[in-house]
Amino acid sequence: MTRARAFPDRRAAGLHLGEQLRRHEWHDPLVLGLARGGVVVAHAVAEALDAPLDVAVARKIGAPGQPEFGVGAVTARGDATYDARTLRALRLRPADLRESCEAEQAEARRREQVYLHGREPRPRAGRDVVLVDDGLATGVTARAAAHAIREERPRSLVFAAPVCVPEAATGLKADVDEVMCLLAPDDLRAIGEWYQDFAQTSDDEVVELLGSEPE
């Protein structure tokens, strides 16, 4: 596959990913899509595995003055996860990012409430959980989500994405039981380069996809 031609869109990527994941043996599987774009991929994976779908929300914590440069991430509850090497390189401490962390955690709680529509998250304990995103770049949001999921004692936790930065995929293996990437190109610069259509996923689309799941 060539760059910008690998996947037509997130759903098509999810169908390819689902075919690979079907080769595993699963115990009471649950598919979690990392909001927002990961939910589209995860919806197709859940169909392939005949498994329920739910959402995982993690928010990137940006460097001071560079909000798009993620130095860590946080979920709706619990402590933030930081990239230690990045903090050292920028001479930052977690305390320096407390205000940003609190703001992102509040946004994570808000989005979770919107996506779940007042219901409780599907239970993770004792299940094989598949955490899905549309790509893995730095890995900070995936790590934060994985840490939060681990707190709920799943039987196993697998991270899966259509395309991954090799270094990030290797680093994430310490936080999950398995990392599955369809593509891990050494020259990956941006996840969107590997999709023909990488339009931003809306909150409404996430709600619709989650609402289409059977109880």
Side-chain angles (χ1 to χ4, degrees):
M1 293 181 178
T2 59
R3 179 181 292 111
R5 298 292 178 185
F7 307 109
D9 54 25
R10 290 181 177 90
R11 176 166 176 79
L15 292 173
H16 284 291
L17 194 59
E19 284 301 311
Q20 292 296 315
L21 289 164
R22 283 179 63 181
R23 300 177 183 180
H24 283 51
E25 291 186 7
W26 301 101
H27 171 75
D28 194 16
L30 173 67
V31 179
L32 300 179
L34 257 171
R36 291 181 286 200
V39 176
V40 183
V41 183
H43 186 267
V45 170
E47 288 181 349
L49 300 184
D50 193 22
L53 172 70
D54 213 342
V55 65
V57 181
R59 295 285 298 172
K60 182 169 58 180
I61 300 170
Q66 303 178 71
E68 292 305 312
F69 182 59
V71 298
V74 67
T75 59
R77 289 162 292 280
D79 297 331
T81 298
Y82 291 102
D83 185 290
R85 288 189 303 173
T86 303
L87 289 183
R88 287 195 298 270
L90 297 177
R91 298 181 180 179
L92 291 171
R93 301 167 301 161
D96 300 326
L97 301 161
R98 183 176 295 115
E99 185 175 338
S100 177
C101 175
E102 290 175 351
E104 294 301 341
Q105 189 160 53
E107 177 61 14
R109 286 195 295 267
R110 185 196 71 80
R111 290 197 181 200
E112 192 175 83
Q113 290 170 357
V114 169
Y115 300 150
L116 294 178
H117 249 324
R119 69 169 173 84
E120 291 296 316
R122 297 181 187 275
R124 280 80 157 145
R127 309 177 77 160
D128 288 339
V129 175
V130 186
L131 177 63
V132 178
D133 204 357
D134 53 16
L136 184 72
T138 65
V140 290
T141 53
R143 287 180 58 214
H147 291 174
I149 295 165
R150 283 291 196 199
E151 291 292 320
E152 300 185 59
R153 300 185 178 182
R155 179 176 180 269
S156 70
L157 176 58
V158 173
F159 176 84
V163 60
C164 303
V165 171
E167 184 180 2
T170 298
L172 187 60
K173 290 179 180 178
D175 302 291
V176 299
D177 296 299
E178 183 180 352
V179 176
M180 174 176 284
C181 301
L182 296 181
L183 299 173
D186 290 329
D187 61 344
L188 193 155
R189 295 191 299 271
I191 298 298
E193 292 181 347
W194 296 84
Y195 288 84
Q196 293 178 30
D197 178 0
F198 199 63
Q200 185 174 356
T201 304
S202 68
D203 284 345
D204 288 343
E205 186 174 1
V206 171
V207 171
E208 181 180 357
L209 289 172
L210 293 170
S212 68
E213 287 301 299
E215 291 298 328

